[in-house]
Amino acid sequence: MDAPTETDVAHVAAAIGDPSRAKVLLALAGGGALPAGALAAEAGVSNSTISGHLAKLLDARLLTVELDGRHRYYRLATTDVARALEQLALIARPLPVRSLNADTRAKALWRARLCYDHLAGRLGVAVMSALQERDILAAERTVRSEGATNPEAGAAAPDIVYVLTPHGRQELTAFGVETDRLPRRRASVRYCVDWAEQRHHLAGALGTALTARLFALEWLRHGKYRRVVHLTDAGRDGLATTFGVPVDRVG
């Protein structure tokens, strides 16, 4: 067995750190795959320049490439890359808004967007909160075993773990989410700290399945901007009736 070594954080950080490459990653943060030409447009660079950026992102294992005939499509390598981008956004300063279009896009991303394959933004946070209030999810506090401490309390800092309750399993199954068929390769219930709201939104296999069900019911639809989603009238009524989501405050 190989001896453990430190990870090369600087290599990954350097790959992300270029503004054009960051735009590429964010364009793919809503899941799905895009060709180089579309990513060049997102990054604001030429088709000849984007190939070098994509090569660096592939080398850092932040992207994968898929072949479809003569075409190549790029996507984020793992859901962990999307989570890392979301966490970086928590500590990043806001980009200056220099146009009406940029302002409209920023507000739309804040209201409701995809964080890779699950719902985020103000709407995602509201859904997460409603699931807890309806006892579909329960939050449990655990003590970290790594010895991480809270300097103020002088004790081990608590982690929050969300679990799907028996009642929640019944409710979501009735709603059309097959909770007993969630992929086992991923944690069923995870969360991200939403950069826009500084609160939790639902991730993991359950977050993916629930978001897919909202699209299937046409309660959500894709917006004009990448990653942006919009709540439909049916979704507004359905989320309020089914889960008690206060959509009048999040739409």
Side-chain angles (χ1 to χ4, degrees):
M1 182 176 179
D2 294 336
T5 60
E6 293 187 66
T7 56
D8 191 357
V9 174
H11 181 60
V12 174
I16 298 174
D18 179 89
S20 295
R21 292 196 288 273
K23 289 178 181 177
V24 166
L25 293 170
L26 290 173
L28 296 170
L34 292 172
L39 292 172
E42 289 287 333
V45 300
S46 67
N47 288 340
S48 58
T49 300
I50 196 65
S51 60
H53 288 307
L54 293 173
K56 285 183 170 62
L57 292 171
L58 287 167
D59 180 63
R61 295 190 294 183
L62 295 169
L63 297 185
T64 59
V65 61
E66 303 168 355
L67 299 179
D68 183 7
R70 295 184 302 170
H71 302 286
R72 297 163 66 90
Y73 292 87
Y74 300 84
R75 66 169 68 245
L76 296 188
T78 66
T79 56
D80 286 335
V81 177
R83 287 171 60 85
L85 293 172
E86 190 80 4
Q87 295 306 299
L88 284 173
L90 284 170
I91 58 175
R93 61 186 180 186
L95 286 170
V97 176
R98 296 191 173 95
S99 69
L100 177 60
N101 184 64
D103 182 61
T104 302
R105 181 177 181 274
K107 289 177 179 176
L109 285 167
W110 175 60
R111 284 193 298 269
R113 67 183 184 280
L114 291 179
C115 177
Y116 197 69
D117 54 8
H118 56 268
L119 184 61
R122 186 167 53 176
L123 180 59
V125 167
V127 169
M128 180 73 161
S129 179
L131 294 178
Q132 294 176 72
E133 291 177 5
R134 290 292 177 98
D135 193 34
I136 292 172
L137 292 178
E140 298 179 351
R141 290 184 177 272
T142 61
V143 176
R144 294 178 185 171
S145 59
E146 294 84 355
T149 58
N150 182 333
E152 296 181 359
D159 274 331
I160 295 179
V161 176
Y162 293 97
V163 296
L164 180 62
T165 67
H167 166 72
R169 190 175 297 276
Q170 292 178 351
E171 288 289 312
L172 291 180
T173 299
F175 182 61
V177 176
E178 296 182 326
T179 58
D180 59 341
R181 295 187 179 182
L182 297 177
R184 297 188 179 278
R185 67 181 183 276
R186 297 176 60 187
S188 295
V189 184
R190 296 181 70 176
Y191 67 86
C192 296
V193 181
D194 196 276
W195 60 258
E197 292 289 293
Q198 305 288 308
R199 294 168 59 198
H200 298 169
H201 65 244
L202 180 63
L206 184 61
T208 299
L210 178 58
T211 301
R213 181 59 177 157
L214 296 178
F215 275 113
L217 291 171
E218 297 186 349
W219 289 12
L220 288 178
R221 63 176 176 83
H222 291 282
K224 170 184 176 182
Y225 304 101
R226 297 198 190 280
R227 294 194 292 152
V228 169
V229 296
H230 295 297
L231 191 61
T232 65
D233 290 339
R236 185 178 300 275
D237 294 338
L239 283 177
T241 302
T242 308
F243 299 118
V245 178
V247 290
D248 57 319
R249 298 201 299 270
V250 301

